[in-house]
Amino acid sequence: MKISRFACATALASSILLAPAYVSAQVAPTTPDAEQVTPATVDDESNSTSAQGGEKPDSKGEILVTGSRIRRSQFNTADPVNIVNFDQAAQAGFSSTAQVLQSAAISNGTAQINNSYGGFVTAGGPGANTLSLRGFGTSRSLTLLNGRRLAPSGSRGSVGSADLNVLPNILVDRIEILNGGASSIYGSDAIAGVVNVITRSNFKGILADAQINMPEIGVGKTERYGLLFGAQGDRFRFTGSFEYSSRQAVAQSDVNFTRCQTSYRKADANSAPGTGDFIDPLTGQPKCYPTGVTGESGVTINTIATPNFNGQLVDRAAGVPAGYGALPASAGFGAPTAQVCNRFRPDSTAGGAVLGFECVGGGALPLGVRDTYPRSLLANEIVNPGKNYTGFLQGSYELDALGNAEIYAELLVNRRKSEQNGNRQLSFDYPFQSPLIPTNLRFPTAALGAQPTNPGVPVGIRVFADYGIYNNRQTVDFVRALGGVRGEIGGGFHYDASVLRSWSDSSYTSDLVLTDKLNQSLDVVASGSGFVCRNTANGCVAAPALTPAVVGGQFPASWIGFIAEPVTGKTSFRETIVSAVVDGPLFNIWGGPVQIAVGAEYRKQTLNDTPALDSQRGNVYNFTSSTITRGSDNVKEVFGEIEAPILSDRPFFQDLTLKASARYTDYASYGSQTTYKVGGIYSPVRWLSARGSYGTSYRAPGLFEQYLGATSGFGAASGDPCNNLGAAGQNPVRVANCQADGLATGFVQTNSIAVLQRGGADSGLQSEDSVAWTAGGVFQPNFGNWGKLSVSADYFNIKVDGGVSQLGSATILQQCYDDPDFRAQSVCGLIVRNPANQALTVTTGFVNIATARVTGWDFNARYSVRRGETNFDIGGQVTRFGQRYNQLLPTDPIENDIGSLNNPRWSGTFDGGIGFDKISFRYSVEWVGSTNSSADYVGLTDAQRATYVFEAKDYFIHSTSIRWRLDNKFQFTIGVRNLLEQKLPQISSGAYNRVGNVPLYSAYDYVGRTFFANVRAGF
């Protein structure tokens, strides 16, 4: 039965769905007094909630709530703040704080960088786990630990966001999520929202914890072992934890859906998916392609290119020609009578101009003919392995001096060791007339031109071989130290002053081929029955003679050992924060005391990424190279906040409170800026409230956006707008512009596109501004012995103007070659075409061009009741997005992304549980709504839209667990995550990144049904 979106939304207020333990912010938790502590028992659900930042509440039970620096006695605020109970969320099978955050309702419907993105260029480098709220990106989402910033960490030059891997797990009490902008409270970056991870501060004794998650497929196990300890005296409190966690890899060979990626297209609008796939002439089945964006984009393995492009012409009228093999009619050959061949694979029976090789691609031939699928591709990982070592200590000591002061400190230490295995092509050129080329392939011309990585040396034969698996690995050390003092001034005022220092140091290594050594090995002379390097320095090993085995990727180990070696870079990031805040009551008005908080803060950040020397020199062969990224910035800020209870405890005015905040910011790099926020809450009766806020936010570009060193990468040759010039249906403006570049009709690009990235500090990069407002209501009746209900609905609207963004190479090429004023556009200055071989180089950089907006509704509901020894609760959170768009250029049309693939209109989390005596049961559901891009994907023609499949049905992850408490010292939990293992959606190639035929999207569980067990023991 199909479940409608409306049914899923209204389930919040009903009892038809259960699910991870997300506690509504409107249900105020019990706050412990100064003497109350939690003993070393395993009954975490009875754990009292500690104050933000580990601060003990005062005698009035006042606490700090995320999004404000003013103390209050309850959680009702002008902004929606949702609370995630970490222990109950763990009952849904989550094994880390990072997983809990990335699966929360505010983040579940948007793409998050997790352990399935190891093969992509991401902020923080491979292995980092980051958080993007509302789909605005990691740089616009602020993560706090105990109310204070969590500094960025990671590897490579794009370190600019917090890595969730550094967060502790066993010590976490709850997570508070502010669903809106808060730059006036926390400064830059708090645009899309704020996440505050709060640790347990009231604990004494020792608690041991162990959890194992084992997928049903038999690989990909995760383990976590932790020790929590604490002590308390008359004047001091001390808690800490040590943890170790590990995650095994999951390769493409381990799951069925990645073993053969196909085009997954329809023959026509009325056909089933897959009927339009190219049929492999060798197997008679749909052809398998390498996993990636488009699959059959022309990537070729185990083939060669020769100077004799016209060596084999296809006479379609005469049928399938010799040298093409027995291609079935369904292979996709059309009516043209003559086509040029430019790729050949070994075939001892083949004749024609290239003896011993058959043609497998060129001209209008299907590019898929020349693609191959070596078994080494199955070693690519869909989940990358990693290990984490984490220690966290926090403590405080009370003084009689300085206003009954309390000295406090925190120390977080983390080491992440991660790695990624990936397959790569090894394309290299045998020099013209090289003795390594067999006689039958020594053509009299060198029409392929000069080698792109060996200028001046003409090409004899170009080999596209399978290099096999190469390894990336990272070690990231992160230290965060906090020290401060807080106390009373008098008259109800409090002060808090602190210094926070963070260090991140990492090394990153890749096993790469070096260009100079490869060129040295290909320059050989005869020696006896073999060959030796002309230059024998460095222990040079001569390249192997060209044979079918070499084309098939079978290389001598000694040669690979010479041309490839580990290439290591170093990254460091430093952050220092000095802050002071004073808060307290000013005077009384009709509804109570007017509260204020004022303070000042100084922040300084420094980034230094030093790639390996070979990377800086561009000596890494056909791989991303980069130069040094180095820069620093500092900011001085003053801020203030005021909250005025206009009326309280009066007829129709149970509560009317207004609040406002402002912050003045002065960056060394971008000057000064002022942000503000106003809001309020109105409750005519105790159980009904209306709330709302309006505010501005501000974000200075991160250090990597300012100072990113020149970084090079490669794009597919098919991305050249002039590729296959003059093909049917091509934009006539584009054709004319390509011809103006000196290209002839029928031009085919055979070189990868070089893409250079750079920072924006030298090109006038400016800060970005945003506006956010929310409006909603809360309904929370108390039914006495029959429990409590809390229901809320909040509208959000966030817009960023002048957003910092990086023009993609595809956008630059399209904007230039499709413009009638060709080469008059400034964007064309970012493109260089080599006149010798027509290869393209595109330079991209960070600029202030983007306008981004997101709107929608958050719905929350929870019902809980306790009758005798039985506890029952049920609830959930649902987000309905109305609009999300990123207008990269002012001339771009506004295209709403909501409803398109990976941008669901609906997403939600639901959970429920029942507990009695020593047993409790929990059930949870994570939901991502259906999407459909087939009708509006802008990169497709009308004819293609009828045959491409870009649809995904509603996707659910069901999880359940049961917990036994043997006594108040021992506890066992067993459960199943992804219980029903819903089938993953499949899409066509040609537009979106894929894992097999499945979209690359963090909301999907690639591992499948997973069993988990947790054991806790208190002492």
Side-chain angles (χ1 to χ4, degrees), residues 30-87:
T30 303
T31 303
D33 59 33
E35 300 301 322
Q36 184 178 5
V37 298
T38 302
T41 68
V42 295
D43 189 359
D44 291 327
E45 290 180 341
S46 65
N47 178 36
S48 300
T49 304
S50 59
Q52 177 179 317
E55 177 183 357
K56 67 176 183 180
D58 59 26
S59 59
K60 298 179 181 180
E62 293 180 335
I63 57 174
L64 293 176
V65 180
T66 301
S68 176
R69 297 180 184 272
I70 292 176
R71 302 163 194 266
R72 54 177 49 81
S73 59
Q74 39 76 37
F75 270 73
N76 281 349
T77 66
D79 296 299
V81 178
N82 297 320
I83 301 175
V84 179
N85 181 293
F86 183 83
D87 179 70

Side-chain angles (χ1 to χ4, degrees), residues 49 155 170 206 215 297 415 474 542 723 792 990:
T49 304
S155 61
I170 189 175
I206 299 175
S297 61
R415 164 166 283 192
Q474 308 83 35
N723 189 45
S792 67

Side-chain angles (χ1 to χ4, degrees), residues 674-692:
T674 300
T675 57
Y676 67 89
K677 188 173 185 177
V678 294
I681 184 168
Y682 166 59
S683 302
V685 291
R686 188 178 301 275
W687 45 267
L688 183 65
S689 302
R691 61 190 179 189

